[in-house]
């Protein structure tokens, strides 16, 4: 066991973030790594048991974390995303959820052997997927926008619905099995649910109004929202258990659709907090399991239940509910397969296991085992298969890392052409139709619009592009673009090209150099320089490094005016040159540079000379041979 609670808290955080890093480093599902890590330090090696160690604080910590995670997910649910997706999302969240409840309850009764009462409670709960498991999978698999948005909306909307269905089923059971049935409790449930939704809407509108009117200073906005989320959740949950999830979801959706710029600024902070919470909660939940629970998980009735839920109940509910919604067969197959259960299912099932057992339903004691079995198997199966299946169904954007270039000019058009030759996705974005002629003439993919506008966010699919290059003639705009998209692309994947020569001595531009994105290529090479060099005959040149021709020799051979642009790894990965670049090209890498034409002429001339010399040598050899034979 760990020596202290402080050490245990540190270990939970370290293991959670370490699992996330391992998953990122080796391209594995993060939730699988976290689950296995929690099992290793908990029931297998017995290093910790957070549920026992934290005592009465364990459940409140889990509940608050789930509320914050669900709110952050709802904060991404803008109704503008539903263009063309409203019908399938609505049908899956209503008809699909109802079918999954009924079918899941029947399966729980006939296969898992649960009583009707317990089966209908757990059947309602198991319709949930949730942002804790869906978001990491979407981040890993790089699905096309349409199926990705459907899975995201379903996960966040159905999370509170599943918890409420379980509560509703329990209230119905309590009503029907009572000696003197009284509908007061049932009416209280409906009233509490309506109140929770209205409370979330009111808190969302209230905090949004305070942001817009300046009643909350910038430095307090994120902490204020953080506390208000907990307040909103607690008030609703104290009135009726599990309605707090509905309340924070309503609050998040309300804020997301108010069009407040501050919300977008806070979203990155919320995402960071959510990743930390998801990591910690998964470690805590799995580490708190008993070894008996793990062994019981492999019993025939539980395995049979899990398999039917994965291969029959989920696909059937999706296929029936999406009839006439316009989804393709491939999309239905993918959405019908991907339904991992997560934190909400684990936390709520433990609550119902206790109250159902107290109510006299002895079969409720296997709920924790049943829930973890469904969570673990779905997380592993869907986590490892989502990438493979999405590729097979042609619903994945996976491929060589792409580049999104902001600013159309002669250089960016030629750069895009070279990337296309390397079979790397590329697109040029510019608000000027006239400037886009450089891209249009050469058949380069382009988007006509303002990169920083809200419309572009909903119309331009940025999933295929891992790098962003801001290469307009306005350095301040380049810096603004880089600052805006740095949280999305990462600090090492955002670049800006230097401005015009005449701006270099301007103090403002010197300051801008230090803001956001790394300077692409070299500090002294501006957009104007690059375009001028192309006009004077410079060409894009590829050089492959070999065992005999190494990078050091290449640097010695190149002309001083050569601009090193990027190099391509044998795997297809692209590394752009920057003064802050730490990577060095190796054997097998292909270096792409902007080189003067004289260098190319010399190269061609040397090749011709070598061929001519070889031809003369061969001719002399043949003549001697013929003479000898004569």
């Amino acid at each position: 066991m760990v020596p202290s609670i402080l050490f245990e808290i540190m270990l939970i955080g370290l293991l959670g973030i370490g699992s996330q890093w391992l998953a990122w480093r080796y391209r594995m599902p993060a939730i699988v790594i976290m689950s296995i890590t929690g099992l290793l330090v908990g029931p297998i090696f017995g290093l910790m048991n957070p549920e026992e160690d934290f005592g009465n604080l364990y459940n409140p910590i889990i509940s608050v974390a789930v509320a914050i995670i669900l709110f952050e997910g709802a904060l991404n649910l803008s109704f503008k995303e539903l263009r063309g997706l409203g019908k399938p999302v609505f049908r899956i969240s209503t008809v699909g959820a109802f079918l999954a409840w009924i079918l899941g309850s029947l399966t729980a009764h006939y296969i898992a052997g649960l009583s009707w009462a317990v089966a209908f409670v757990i059947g309602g709960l198991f319709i949930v997927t949730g942002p804790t498991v869906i978001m990491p999978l979407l981040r890993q698999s790089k699905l096309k926008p349409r199926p990705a948005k459907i899975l995201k909306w379903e996960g966040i909307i159905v999370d509170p619905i599943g918890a409420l269905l379980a509560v509703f089923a329990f209230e119905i059971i309590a009503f029907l099995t009572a000696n003197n049935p009284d509908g007061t409790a049932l009416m209280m449930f409906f009233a509490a649910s309506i109140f929770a939704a209205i409370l979330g809407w009111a808190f969302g509108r209230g905090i949004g109004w305070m942001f817009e009117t300046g009643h909350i200073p910038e430095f307090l906005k994120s902490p204020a929202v953080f506390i208000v989320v907990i307040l909103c959740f607690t008030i609703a949950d104290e009135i009726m258990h599990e309605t707090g999830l509905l309340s924070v979801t309503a609050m998040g959706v309300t804020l997301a659709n108010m069009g407040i710029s501050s919300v977008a600024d806070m979203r990155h902070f919320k995402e960071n907090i959510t990743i930390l919470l998801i990591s910690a909660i998964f470690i805590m939940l799995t580490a708190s399991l008993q070894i008996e629970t793990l062994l019981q998980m492999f019993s025939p009735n539980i395995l049979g239940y899990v398999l039917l839920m994965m291969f029959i109940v989920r696909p059937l509910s999706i296929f029936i509910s999406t009839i006439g919604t316009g989804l393709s067969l491939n999309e239905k197959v993918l959405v019908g397969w991907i339904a991992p259960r997560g934190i909400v299912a684990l936390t709520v099932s433990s609550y119902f296991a206790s109250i159902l057992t107290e109510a006299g339903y002895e079969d409720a004691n296997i709920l924790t085992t049943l829930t973890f079995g469904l969570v673990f198997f779905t997380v592993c199966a869907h986590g490892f298969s989502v990438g493979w299946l999405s590729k097979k169904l042609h619903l994945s954007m996976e491929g060589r890392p792409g580049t999104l270039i902001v600013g159309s000019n002669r250089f960016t058009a030629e750069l895009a052409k070279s990337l296309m030759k390397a079979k790397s996705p590329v697109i040029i974005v510019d608000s000027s139709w006239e400037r886009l002629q450089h891209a249009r003439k050469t058949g380069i993919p382009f988007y006509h619009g303002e990169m920083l506008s809200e419309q572009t966010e909903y119309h331009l699919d940025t999933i295929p592009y891992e790098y962003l290059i801001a290469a307009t003639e306005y350095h301040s705009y380049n810096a603004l673009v880089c600052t805006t998209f740095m949280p999305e692309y990462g600090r090492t994947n955002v670049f800006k090209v230097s401005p015009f020569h005449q701006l270099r001595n301007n103090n403002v531009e010197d300051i801008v150099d230090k803001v956001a994105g790394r300077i692409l290529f070299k500090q002294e090479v501006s957009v104007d320089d690059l375009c001028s060099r192309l006009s004077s005959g410079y060409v894009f040149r590829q050089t492959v490094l070999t065992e005999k021709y190494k990078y050091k020799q290449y640097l010695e051979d190149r002309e001083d005016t050569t601009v090193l642009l990027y190099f391509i790894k044998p795997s297809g990965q692209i590394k752009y040159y920057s003064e802050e670049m730490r990577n060095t090209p190796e054997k097998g890498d292909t270096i792409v540079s902007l080189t003067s034409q004289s260098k190319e002429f010399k190269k061609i001339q040397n090749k011709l000379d070598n061929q001519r010399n070889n031809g003369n040598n061969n001719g002399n050899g043949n003549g001697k041979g013929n003479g000898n034979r004569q």
Side-chain angles (χ1 to χ4, degrees):
M1 296 294 288
V2 293
S4 67
I5 294 294
L6 177 61
F7 187 88
E8 186 167 340
I9 293 172
M10 178 278 299
L11 187 59
I12 289 170
L14 183 64
L15 292 174
I17 298 304
S19 299
Q20 292 273 9
W21 182 84
L22 280 175
W24 166 81
R25 180 67 179 81
Y26 296 103
R27 293 184 174 272
M28 297 177 68
I31 46 182
V32 175
I33 303 297
M34 290 185 288
S35 298
I36 293 173
T37 303
L39 291 176
L40 289 174
V41 298
I44 295 177
F45 293 114
L47 298 178
M48 68 169 80
N49 188 327
E51 187 173 12
E52 291 182 0
D53 299 337
F54 292 166
N56 293 333
L57 287 176
Y58 178 79
N59 286 329
I61 289 172
I62 299 290
S63 297
V64 168
V66 171
I68 293 169
I69 292 166
L70 198 56
F71 169 77
E72 192 278 328
L75 205 60
N76 294 310
L77 296 184
S78 173
F79 292 132
K80 293 180 180 179
E81 279 193 1
L82 284 178
R83 292 170 182 166
L85 295 176
K87 192 173 183 180
V89 168
F90 176 77
R91 292 275 291 277
I92 290 172
S93 303
T94 53
V95 177
F98 179 76
L99 287 172
W101 179 30
I102 300 301
L103 295 174
S105 301
L106 293 173
T107 306
H109 175 71
Y110 288 109
I111 304 300
L114 298 177
S115 62
W116 282 113
V118 178
F120 269 93
V121 170
I122 208 66
L125 177 61
F126 284 168
I127 70 171
V128 304
T129 52
T132 60
V133 282
I134 284 295
M135 293 305 185
L137 286 188
L138 296 181
R139 196 179 299 118
Q140 163 206 344
S141 59
K142 293 186 178 179
L143 293 180
K144 288 184 177 179
R146 186 179 169 94
K149 288 178 182 178
I150 290 173
L151 288 170
K152 181 180 77 171
W153 274 85
E154 181 207 5
I156 295 169
I157 292 175
V158 174
D159 238 24
I161 291 177
L164 290 176
L165 270 180
V167 177
F168 172 70
F170 177 75
E171 294 296 340
I172 288 288
I173 291 163
F175 173 75
L176 295 176
T177 56
N179 294 327
N180 297 310
D182 184 3
T184 305
L186 205 57
M187 295 300 295
M188 278 295 297
F189 164 74
F190 287 112
S193 299
I194 295 171
F195 171 77
I198 295 174
L199 181 70
W201 173 83
F203 270 106
R205 296 294 299 182
I207 199 78
W209 174 80
M210 294 182 76
F211 282 1
E212 286 182 313
T213 54
H215 283 80
I216 299 179
E218 243 2 89
F219 74 96
L220 277 182
K221 285 183 177 179
S222 291
V225 170
F226 193 83
I227 295 302
V228 171
V229 169
I230 299 174
L231 174 65
C232 181
F233 172 78
T234 304
I235 292 174
D237 211 60
E238 287 294 317
I239 294 173
M240 174 76 65
H241 200 63
E242 303 309 332
T243 58
L245 298 179
L246 176 63
S247 188
V248 295
T249 302
M251 179 181 170
V253 172
T254 301
L255 267 174
N257 291 278
M258 288 182 66
I260 303 171
S261 59
S262 301
V263 172
D265 297 335
M266 288 187 302
R267 188 172 290 133
H268 303 304
F269 168 76
K270 293 291 182 185
E271 288 173 354
N272 293 336
I273 292 294
T274 297
I275 289 174
L276 181 61
L277 289 176
I278 290 174
S279 307
I281 297 308
F282 255 103
I283 297 293
M284 290 174 63
L285 288 172
T286 51
S288 298
L289 294 171
Q290 302 297 322
I291 196 70
E292 294 79 12
T293 301
L294 299 181
L295 296 176
Q296 191 181 16
M297 192 173 71
F298 293 95
S299 61
N301 60 328
I302 291 181
L303 280 177
Y305 172 77
V306 170
L307 291 174
L308 281 175
M309 289 290 288
M310 291 171 62
F311 291 98
I312 302 296
V313 174
R314 169 67 178 185
L316 194 59
S317 63
I318 292 298
F319 270 80
I320 294 174
S321 64
T322 54
I323 293 174
T325 58
L327 291 186
S328 67
L329 178 62
N330 285 0
E331 289 171 331
K332 290 181 181 181
V333 170
L334 183 68
V335 175
W337 169 244
I338 303 300
R341 275 60 168 192
I343 290 175
V344 172
L346 281 172
T347 55
V348 179
S349 69
S350 62
Y351 163 74
F352 280 111
S354 60
I355 63 171
L356 285 168
T357 303
E358 291 173 4
Y361 298 98
E362 295 182 1
D363 55 333
N365 58 12
I366 70 165
L367 285 188
T368 301
T369 303
L370 191 68
T371 305
F372 184 74
L374 186 63
V375 168
F376 185 76
F377 285 119
T378 55
V379 160
C380 290
H382 300 151
F384 282 111
S385 65
V386 62
W388 172 84
L389 183 62
S390 60
K391 289 178 184 177
K392 288 293 182 182
L393 297 174
H394 306 292
L395 294 174
S396 173
M397 302 299 294
E398 191 69 38
R400 293 194 172 189
T403 303
L404 190 154
I405 303 173
V406 182
S408 178
N409 51 58
R410 183 170 180 177
F411 169 73
T412 56
E414 292 298 325
L415 177 64
K417 280 174 62 178
S418 73
L419 291 168
M420 289 175 67
K421 288 179 181 178
K423 297 181 180 179
S424 177
V426 65
I427 191 170
I428 294 179
V429 179
D430 204 303
S431 58
S432 169
W433 186 254
E434 182 181 356
R435 287 195 296 267
L436 280 171
Q437 65 176 317
H438 297 287
R440 290 187 283 120
K441 286 179 179 179
T442 51
I444 296 166
F446 66 89
Y447 177 81
H448 179 219
E450 170 53 57
M451 188 62 199
L452 297 175
S453 77
E454 189 178 9
Q455 294 301 317
T456 299
E457 180 181 351
Y458 295 113
H459 289 97
L460 177 62
D461 177 21
T462 60
I463 292 176
Y465 312 108
E466 294 187 15
Y467 302 103
L468 182 141
I469 295 175
T472 72
E473 60 188 45
Y474 306 106
H475 199 206
S476 300
Y477 178 79
N478 292 343
L480 181 60
V481 168
C482 291
T483 303
T484 303
F485 289 96
M486 186 180 290
E488 180 177 342
Y489 286 87
R491 188 175 299 275
T492 57
N493 291 355
V494 175
F495 301 92
K496 59 187 177 185
V497 181
S498 289
F500 289 99
H501 279 303
Q502 57 266 33
L503 298 178
R504 295 253 175 77
N505 296 324
N506 188 311
N507 291 333
V508 175
E509 294 298 329
D510 290 340
I511 294 173
V512 172
D513 279 344
K514 298 176 177 59
V515 179
R518 299 188 292 173
I519 295 294
L520 191 62
F521 313 139
K522 293 190 293 185
Q523 178 75 36
E524 61 270 16
V525 179
S526 67
V527 175
D528 190 33
D529 288 331
L530 295 167
C531 292
S532 297
R533 294 189 190 202
L534 286 172
S535 299
S536 61
Y538 274 61
V539 293
F540 280 73
R541 178 187 176 192
Q542 291 188 353
T543 305
V544 180
L545 299 181
T546 64
E547 186 66 41
K548 295 182 178 179
Y549 192 70
K550 297 184 178 180
Y551 186 55
K552 183 177 180 181
Q553 185 177 351
Y554 169 78
L555 292 178
E556 292 173 353
D557 291 347
R558 70 183 178 116
E559 292 185 345
D560 294 337
T561 57
T562 297
V563 180
L564 302 179
L565 304 176
Y566 61 89
F567 62 91
I568 310 169
K569 308 291 289 183
S571 63
Q573 185 181 13
I574 290 176
K575 296 288 185 181
Y576 285 97
Y577 273 91
S578 169
E579 291 184 344
E580 301 175 33
M581 187 181 74
R582 298 291 181 266
N583 296 318
T584 302
E586 301 170 345
K587 182 186 72 172
D589 294 349
T590 302
I591 300 174
V592 180
S593 61
L594 187 61
T595 308
S596 67
Q597 218 164 20
S598 60
K599 177 77 173 179
E600 287 297 301
F601 284 146
K602 290 177 183 176
K603 181 183 176 185
I604 294 170
Q605 187 63 48
N606 290 335
K607 188 179 291 185
L608 290 173
D609 290 342
N610 289 333
Q611 290 175 352
R612 190 177 299 112
N613 292 333
N614 290 335
N616 291 336
N617 291 334
N618 290 336
N620 293 334
N622 290 336
K624 290 177 182 177
N626 291 337
N628 292 334
R629 282 195 295 269
Q630 288 178 349

